[in-house]
Amino acid sequence: MSKKSEVTAKELKEKLFMQKKNAYLRMTDAEVKKCDKFCEGYKEFLNTCKTEREATAFVETEAKKAGFVPFDKNKKYKAGDRVYYVNREKAIILAVVGKEPIANGVNIVAAHIDSPRLDMKQNPLFEKDEVGYFKTHYYGGIKKYQWPTVPLSLHGVIVKADGSKINVNIGEDDNDPVFCVSDLLPHLAATQMKRPATEIVRGEELNIIVGSRPFKDDEASEAVKLNIMMLLNKKYGITETDFLSAELEAVPAFKVKDIGFDRSLVGGYGQDDRVCAYPEFMAVLGAKSVRRTAVCVLTDKEEIGSDGNTGLNSAYMKYFIADLAATFGARCRDVLSNSKCLSADVNAAYDPTFPDVFEKNNVSVLNGGVCVTKYTGSRGKSGTSDASAEFVGEIRALFDKNGIIWQTGELGKVDNGGGGTVAMYVANLNIDTIDVGVPVMSMHAPFEITAKADIWAAFRAFEAFITN
Ligand code: MN
Ligand code: MN
């Protein structure tokens, strides 16, 4: 007969196995209250900031109220000073000067504020069979079939020949009209439904309906287009040529909502990556005194690969850090080499309806806490920075010390697809970088899903990283 072990399997398992537990089972009632309150602010942010330009303007306004002033490379700064830098109205950096010498490095948190959407083409307005349309070119990775029959609002700017700029925001106010891409009725869609899913609606079929009443003149051709142009000329003083120097973006017009009887989830457009941007900037706003200089980056262009001078594959963040370092007489390369970065971006939340694409041991789940992603990429870790075990260990210890609810996750099964974030562009500057963000269900869809507990955990994680 075998001798019974002195420890039970249950005890041993508790000691040796990884413990995974739903965030709500680990939060006190008081913390759930704080979490829900925080998410009300987040929902307002989502409703107000649907584009990179709107997010930049909003953050600048809030930062000013919180004592941030425009960064001046000719000034001297001391611990506690708060500065910001706006890049072309599409990206913004906030910094809080730390007590330690800047040459010791800075703590960066970087999220992106652009989201998948439909951009208007340069020459967008046309009329076909007496319906007026805007032609679009989609921005970022979308499932094109998800975008027809969704009410859309128009956001952006029109720059006129004299250099003046008109801000456009139509479809958000309850009294505003909205816009829409049409789809075929099922009765006549037999042929359409045989197309491959990538082509159920093709890129050139994502035409947005913008009007249907003709200008009252029997002789004129393109009378619907003429009538629309007349209305736009009345409202904005523009002619058709002014579209050439415009950036108009169509995004879902609906508001953010709680999801579920228990209101535990947030549903809304553009949560990738504003669900990380908001906690990040709230954490920096609240950071009064920091040991290491904190740098909060809210960037553009992530959804199309981070290229372009407002994306993080450009030098703008490096130049900002170089200029800040110079005010202290420090060398930029020393600062960068000693810096650390949380690339604050979302990961795919496990979807119980579609379990096949996930590998269950390595996936983030709703209500599992903020997700730490060591590497992204695809085809054998291509296109990622892959954080070192040492840096993962450091972040793990920091989060545990601060009681932060966190999990790890990989973007789906190996070779099932993949994706990237800004992490590699920051890491390429010789900065220790790791992805830390909120899991999202239905990512890149017009209505994305996140869990309130994870959003709160992200805020606490960024706060701990900035103020540690
Ligand atoms: Mn993202
Ligand atoms: Mn994305």
Side-chain angles (χ1 to χ4, degrees), residues 185-308:
L185 61 169
H187 319 64
L188 298 178
T191 310
Q192 181 199 24
M193 296 314 282
K194 287 194 184 106
R195 294 181 187 178
T198 50
E199 287 188 31
I200 287 184
V201 177
R202 300 187 179 114
E204 290 293 353
E205 290 168 343
L206 291 171
N207 300 320
I208 295 177
I209 297 174
V210 293
S212 67
R213 277 191 184 167
F215 182 78
K216 281 201 174 167
D217 181 334
D218 289 341
E219 305 290 294
S221 62
E222 296 189 290
V224 172
K225 176 178 166 178
L226 181 63
N227 196 49
I228 291 165
M229 215 48 249
M230 188 194 72
L231 292 171
L232 290 173
N233 183 266
K234 241 192 216 163
K235 183 162 183 190
Y236 298 115
I238 60 165
T239 64
E240 192 181 11
T241 314
D242 291 321
F243 284 127
L244 297 179
S245 46
E247 279 179 342
L248 295 172
E249 306 169 1
V251 300
F254 41 64
K255 299 265 181 274
V256 183
K257 290 280 184 186
D258 287 342
I259 297 178
F261 293 116
D262 57 9
R263 311 184 81 107
S264 59
L265 307 169
V266 176
Y269 164 72
Q271 300 204 66
D272 173 9
D273 184 31
R274 281 171 269 247
V275 75
C276 296
Y278 181 76
E280 167 189 327
F281 118 86
M282 289 304 281
V284 172
L285 240 52
K288 291 281 180 293
S289 149
V290 292
R291 184 169 60 81
R292 283 157 64 88
T293 294
V295 177
C296 158
V297 183
L298 299 172
T299 195
D300 181 30
K301 294 282 180 278
E302 193 278 341
E303 292 297 355
I304 55 169
S306 291
D307 290 317

Side-chain angles (χ1 to χ4, degrees), residues 13-30:
K13 270 186 166 178
E14 265 170 27
K15 189 177 161 202
L16 298 180
F17 281 11
M18 195 155 55
Q19 307 296 325
K20 288 184 180 174
K21 217 174 183 185
N22 189 296
Y24 282 99
L25 302 176
R26 301 169 59 184
M27 291 162 78
T28 61
D29 288 350

Side-chain angles (χ1 to χ4, degrees), residues 51-57 60 85-92 113 157 165 167 247 300 310:
T51 66
E52 60 284 353
R53 285 178 189 270
E54 288 169 356
T56 300
E60 183 181 4
Y85 163 76
V86 174
N87 181 6
R88 297 170 172 86
E89 299 183 15
K90 294 182 186 186
I92 184 165
I113 47 177
V157 296
K165 187 151 60 181
N167 279 307
E247 279 179 342
D300 181 30
T310 52

Side-chain angles (χ1 to χ4, degrees), residues 100 104-108 291-292 336-342 372 374 387-404 406 408 430-436 460-462 464-468:
E100 275 189 16
N104 291 4
V106 300
N107 283 358
I108 303 166
R291 184 169 60 81
R292 283 157 64 88
L336 291 175
S337 302
N338 293 324
S339 290
K340 295 165 192 180
C341 174
L342 299 187
V372 176
K374 187 175 182 292
S388 70
E390 289 83 350
F391 191 51
V392 181
E394 190 182 322
I395 294 303
R396 177 185 157 197
L398 172 77
F399 288 177
D400 284 343
K401 193 179 89 187
N402 287 280
I404 285 147
W406 64 281
T408 59
N430 196 27
I431 296 172
D432 272 322
T433 307
I434 189 165
D435 279 297
V436 174
R460 295 212 50 237
F462 301 147
F465 177 71
I466 287 167
T467 55
N468 94 89

Side-chain angles (χ1 to χ4, degrees), residues 158-179:
I158 302 168
V159 177
K160 296 209 274 185
D162 64 4
S164 62
K165 187 151 60 181
I166 300 155
N167 279 307
V168 177
N169 182 318
I170 310 169
E172 297 297 335
D173 192 276
D174 281 345
N175 298 315
D176 281 355
V178 294
F179 307 90

Side-chain angles (χ1 to χ4, degrees), residues 112 114 271-273 302-303 344-347 420-421 443-444:
H112 66 92
D114 62 319
Q271 300 204 66
D272 173 9
D273 184 31
E302 193 278 341
E303 292 297 355
D345 207 345
V346 301
N347 202 330
T421 64
M443 196 196 292
H444 285 202

Side-chain angles (χ1 to χ4, degrees), residues 147-164:
W147 290 72
T149 71
V150 169
L152 300 170
S153 55
L154 266 188
H155 300 241
V157 296
I158 302 168
V159 177
K160 296 209 274 185
D162 64 4
S164 62

